[in-house]
Amino acid sequence: HIREFVRLSAALGLPCAFSVYTYEDTAAAAELARWTRQFDIDMCVEIGNEEVTGWGDDPGAKTDIPTCRKYAENVRRIVTAMRKENPRLKFVSATMFQLNHMDVMEESFRLTDGVVDFWDLHLSATDDPGKSYASAKEALGTCREMFRRLNPKTTMKVAVFEENGWEHGQRRALSHAAVLAAVREFGDFVLTSCPANALQPYMQNDSGWDQGQIFF
């Protein structure tokens, strides 16, 4: 599926992002990176999805320092192997940003700063645009402040690859606009903001968790 998606993106002349398994085999990751060299488009590779939490690839994962270090070790291993084969690739940390676990967030930053290019920060689009705006602004502001405090010279930025919500109608559209308003206030600190559920068929798997396969 990754290769089909990359071919489609290349045919359209568009940049793309895809994720690989946190515990991916090193040789397999390197081979995939070699394969991507044939395409002249920008590509981001995320290592896992919503990691360092119980929602990640490891069913026993907890939001704690040991789990964070285990994840960061895999990030360094995979990024090193893939970057060696294709230096053009950009890499994304999938640590689930949680305001109530800032000690773990800080450790994740320290262990991946200089290794990854972006941090996938997930935002919420509720049925209240005002709350969506405030929540997004708080998360982005806290994240940027942490980056600058821990390393004023860091080049790491944020990519919002999931803007989650349980609405598909006008309220969702308004909340998405509110999130984008918050995102725009942070300038080029944020690469993109992608609302999930883009390709989810109407009335099919209609929830905020099962989001379909492709995000716009």
Side-chain angles (χ1 to χ4, degrees), residues 16 18 25 39 42 50 67 82 108 119 136 141 155 179 184 208 216:
C16 68
F18 57 85
D25 176 73
F39 301 103
D42 293 334
E50 296 186 346
T67 306
M82 296 188 76
S108 182
W119 185 317
T155 58
V179 170
R184 286 176 178 272
F216 286 104

Side-chain angles (χ1 to χ4, degrees), residues 5-196:
F5 178 61
V6 171
R7 289 191 186 99
L8 173 63
S9 300
L12 294 171
L14 297 174
C16 68
F18 57 85
S19 63
V20 297
Y21 184 45
T22 299
Y23 306 102
E24 183 61 81
D25 176 73
T26 304
E31 193 280 326
L32 177 62
R34 281 195 298 273
W35 178 83
T36 64
R37 290 191 305 210
Q38 65 187 290
F39 301 103
D40 188 26
I41 58 173
D42 293 334
M43 275 181 257
C44 287
V45 182
E46 182 166 11
I47 314 302
N49 177 57
E50 296 186 346
E51 300 299 325
V52 197
T53 72
W55 303 336
D57 289 324
D58 184 350
K62 299 178 181 179
T63 308
D64 57 22
I65 297 297
T67 306
C68 173
R69 290 172 178 166
K70 179 181 179 182
Y71 172 65
E73 181 180 348
N74 280 287
V75 168
R76 291 194 296 271
R77 173 181 61 83
I78 294 172
V79 170
T80 298
M82 296 188 76
R83 185 168 276 148
K84 182 178 180 181
E85 296 296 335
N86 187 352
R88 287 191 56 194
L89 293 174
K90 300 293 184 182
F91 294 92
V92 186
S93 167
T95 297
M96 184 65 176
F97 195 81
Q98 299 176 81
L99 293 170
N100 59 333
H101 290 285
M102 289 306 298
D103 58 331
V104 181
M105 302 302 102
E106 291 184 5
E107 182 72 355
S108 182
F109 176 84
R110 293 188 188 99
L111 294 173
T112 57
D113 185 28
V115 180
V116 300
D117 304 279
F118 301 98
W119 185 317
D120 182 8
L121 180 65
H122 292 184
L123 301 177
S124 295
T126 70
D127 59 0
D128 184 328
K131 290 182 179 179
S132 297
Y133 170 82
S135 175
K137 191 168 182 178
E138 179 185 18
L140 289 164
T142 303
C143 190
R144 185 173 65 179
E145 186 279 330
M146 182 185 76
F147 285 17
R148 291 176 173 177
R149 172 168 48 83
L150 297 178
N151 180 10
K153 296 183 179 180
T154 186
T155 58
M156 191 189 301
K157 298 182 180 181
V158 161
V160 182
F161 283 153
E162 286 192 44
E163 175 200 301
N164 296 312
W166 282 255
E167 293 286 341
H168 301 286
Q170 186 175 9
R171 287 183 298 184
R172 175 62 187 273
L174 292 172
S175 286
H176 173 54
V179 170
L180 287 182
V183 166
R184 286 176 178 272
E185 293 182 25
F186 290 82
D188 67 357
F189 177 67
V190 185
L191 171 69
T192 186
S193 184
C194 308

